[in-house]
Amino acid sequence: MALIDFHCHLDLYPDPAATVRKAVEDGVYILSVTTTPSAFAGTSALVPKGGRIRTALGLHPELAATRRHELRLFHELLPTTDYVGEIGLDGSKPHRETLTTQAEVLHEILDACAAAGGRIISLHSRGAVEMLLDMLEFEPLAGTFILHWFSAKSAIIDRAAALGCWFSVGPGMIVSKSGRDAIDAMPVDRLLPETDGPFGTADGVPLVPGGGGSLYHDFAQLKATSSKDAERLMTRNFRRLISMHSRKA
């Protein structure tokens, strides 16, 4: 089975080194996102060179106000990676008051990505989906946008798809009706699997990187197809995304 996890916080598991060793043994393709630029070097060091794990350079919107000073480090590190994440906006109640600062930070990051020739970018959008899409529409050269855990209405998903966005979805979305409806509205040729581990859980237990392929089973039930066909679809999508970016580079 080809296990893919396009949004996972490897450095935030209780034992990151052991988690990485197991993921390598299982052959999981992982986009390991970070929440601050200062976490990038240590998270990168967890990963064997030349393997199936890529580390993304991030500045999470929940931390944008307190870690804005790390933008300088973000700019220094950007040339070393093809992947950016987790970045974005969070308009939920605990973080709404910093939304203006978040937007300023995101604008600077997207502008930097555009100037660097584009990156594959994993984006957070909780409570601010339309504001985020407005910003992505303004910065189309920033790269290929992957909307992580994008539980939005179908009209918003249609708008995101028209902007060329991709979507990473996980077991945590499928447990709710709104999440299932969102996945059902997404273009199947732009879907990628994720866990959001260790924050993504199954029965209260943090999902391991790749989730053991549980998303393939859940997605197959949602779409009335087989787990093997779901695996083939998302593997094909993953390969196409990487190929597209390689050609641009």
Side-chain angles (χ1 to χ4, degrees):
M1 178 182 291
L3 292 176
I4 300 164
D5 192 338
F6 217 74
H7 190 102
C8 186
H9 297 266
L10 287 179
D11 62 323
L12 298 182
Y13 281 88
D15 189 340
T19 300
V20 169
R21 283 195 300 272
K22 184 63 167 64
V24 171
E25 288 173 9
D26 292 343
V28 188
Y29 293 91
I30 299 172
L31 182 62
S32 171
V33 297
T34 53
T35 56
T36 61
S38 57
F40 180 80
T43 306
S44 298
L46 291 168
V47 178
K49 294 188 183 298
R52 295 179 171 185
I53 303 174
R54 298 292 181 269
T55 306
L57 175 62
L59 181 47
H60 197 287
E62 292 179 5
L63 302 173
T66 56
R67 297 297 189 97
R68 186 173 187 169
H69 62 279
E70 291 196 31
L71 278 171
R72 180 175 179 179
L73 180 59
F74 183 96
H75 287 285
E76 291 174 5
L77 293 170
L78 185 59
T80 70
T81 180
D82 292 329
Y83 301 88
V84 167
E86 181 172 1
I87 64 169
L89 298 174
D90 192 308
S92 64
K93 188 174 181 180
H95 306 286
R96 198 172 299 149
E97 65 181 19
T98 68
L99 200 51
T100 298
T101 301
Q102 292 177 40
E104 291 169 353
V105 168
L106 179 59
H107 173 72
E108 184 169 338
I109 289 173
L110 294 176
D111 195 49
C113 290
R119 294 292 186 267
I120 293 176
I121 304 173
S122 185
L123 289 143
H124 177 108
S125 59
R126 182 172 55 209
V129 292
E130 293 191 75
M131 183 177 178
L132 178 70
L133 293 182
D134 287 344
M135 293 188 68
L136 301 187
E137 188 171 16
F138 186 74
E139 289 278 12
L141 299 181
T144 304
F145 304 124
I146 319 295
L147 299 174
H148 138 72
W149 205 313
F150 196 68
S151 292
K153 299 294 186 183
S154 60
I156 303 298
I157 291 169
D158 289 345
R159 181 189 173 197
L163 292 174
C165 295
W166 289 57
F167 307 86
S168 59
V169 300
M173 287 184 70
I174 287 184
V175 298
S176 70
K177 184 180 185 303
S178 61
R180 291 191 297 272
D181 288 346
I183 293 171
D184 212 29
M186 293 170 182
V188 294
D189 61 347
R190 282 189 242 158
L191 284 174
L192 298 164
E194 68 160 63
T195 62
D196 199 24
F199 304 107
T201 62
D203 299 321
V205 178
L207 290 162
V208 299
S214 59
L215 179 69
Y216 300 146
H217 175 266
D218 294 341
F219 182 80
Q221 288 192 320
L222 180 65
K223 293 292 190 179
T225 185
S226 70
S227 296
K228 194 64 183 175
D229 282 345
E231 177 193 350
R232 289 192 190 102
L233 168 71
M234 294 200 181
T235 302
R236 188 165 59 245
N237 291 348
F238 170 74
R239 289 174 176 165
R240 193 173 82 256
L241 173 70
I242 301 305
S243 175
M244 284 168 47
H245 186 75
S246 297
R247 287 198 299 272
K248 288 179 182 177

